[in-house]
Amino acid sequence: NFTAAAETLARQGVGVKLGLLQVRPTTADAPPDAAFHALRKRYSVGDLPEIKIFDRGQPLDYAAAADVDSIVDVARWNAGRSTVPTPTSRVVPLLGTEQLRRLLQPSSGLVLLVFRARWCTRCLVLEPQLHTASVRLAATAASVSVSAAASAAAAASAQAPPVTIATVDIDDERNQGLVREIAPLGFPSTIAYWRGSPLAGTAELTSESLRSDEIVAGLLSLQRQLLARDWQRRVRAA
């Protein structure tokens, strides 16, 4: 895993070096490895194997799994890697619970809320696709088709409200209350809202393997289904 993580970081151009210290086993014929024991005492190394992070010469504990993705994520985070939104991005970065409440109004239409972490490689891969998708969604005037017998007023009411993509940075202290309230599972983690209410079963909308056009298509398809459902409810109520 360590070797695979090092190769991944090298391909991504992340300036983090991964080193491996092999310890000579202690046997009846070989004395304890004095150099290792000195390092173990100096840097508080516990049971082997153990991973330590050195930032400007200062040791830090590694508090994550030892699979390839986790090693890469932590390395990128400590290297300060992040993505910068394009100037045209329409993604809404949320800061705190109050901003989310203002965004989730009954008139807000479809809102996709994405929880991201600065150290998460999968979030970093997905983020530029979200920015591109947000621009495409802002330029799309989607509407649900209504039956030919529907009145002009009814057709106008079926006009789609905007589709919004919003992100929550879990590492920002201002978002800690929001993270505790919603308790996302894993990263990136998504929740879709329709007219202010959460929807179930929408996590697949933002897999890190998706391209921006696939995200747009998935959101617009979901929006059309929801508009059609609301229209049918209004017809039955009338």
Side-chain angles (χ1 to χ4, degrees):
N1 288 353
F2 221 56
T3 301
E7 293 171 349
T8 299
L9 290 166
R11 287 195 302 271
Q12 295 178 354
V14 180
V16 175
K17 297 179 180 179
L18 300 187
L20 183 63
L21 176 63
Q22 292 184 319
V23 182
R24 185 180 67 242
T26 300
T27 66
D29 299 325
D33 190 327
F36 166 69
H37 283 286
L39 289 172
R40 188 172 199 168
K41 182 177 180 180
R42 180 177 180 182
Y43 298 121
S44 301
V45 176
D47 295 333
L48 299 180
E50 181 164 350
I51 301 174
K52 285 286 184 180
I53 304 166
F54 288 86
D55 185 7
R56 298 176 180 85
Q58 298 300 314
L60 303 170
D61 289 333
Y62 177 91
D67 60 279
V68 175
D69 287 342
S70 295
I71 294 171
V72 169
D73 285 350
V74 174
R76 288 183 65 95
W77 178 56
N78 281 276
R81 278 304 181 95
S82 62
T83 58
V84 178
T86 60
T88 57
S89 174
R90 301 295 290 272
V91 170
V92 179
L94 292 180
L95 292 174
T97 305
E98 185 56 35
Q99 280 196 10
L100 177 62
R101 290 198 179 99
R102 288 200 298 268
L103 179 63
L104 298 180
Q105 299 297 320
S107 59
S108 59
L110 183 60
V111 176
L112 185 69
L113 187 62
V114 183
F115 287 86
R116 57 175 294 274
R118 300 172 191 173
W119 44 264
C120 171
T121 301
R122 292 173 292 282
C123 300
L124 294 169
V125 170
L126 175 64
E127 194 161 352
Q129 302 301 323
L130 292 177
H131 292 306
T132 303
S134 73
V135 175
R136 294 183 178 182
L137 288 167
T140 301
S143 62
V144 67
S145 61
V146 295
S147 67
S151 67
S157 69
Q159 184 67 31
V163 179
T164 303
I165 297 176
T167 58
V168 177
D169 181 355
I170 68 160
D171 296 310
D172 193 309
E173 292 183 357
R174 292 168 290 184
N175 286 328
Q176 295 312 299
L178 181 55
V179 172
R180 286 193 298 270
E181 179 179 323
I182 297 181
L185 301 175
F187 306 102
S189 180
T190 63
I191 303 175
Y193 294 83
W194 176 246
R195 304 196 187 280
S197 299
L199 300 171
T202 56
E204 73 281 357
L205 288 172
T206 52
S207 165
E208 68 270 14
S209 63
L210 291 181
R211 301 187 309 271
S212 61
D213 58 327
E214 294 173 314
I215 296 172
V216 170
L219 288 171
L220 291 180
S221 175
L222 176 60
Q223 182 193 51
R224 286 192 293 271
Q225 295 172 32
L226 294 166
L227 284 167
R229 184 197 66 183
D230 289 355
W231 169 252
Q232 291 169 0
R233 287 177 177 175
R234 287 197 297 270
V235 170
R236 287 196 296 266

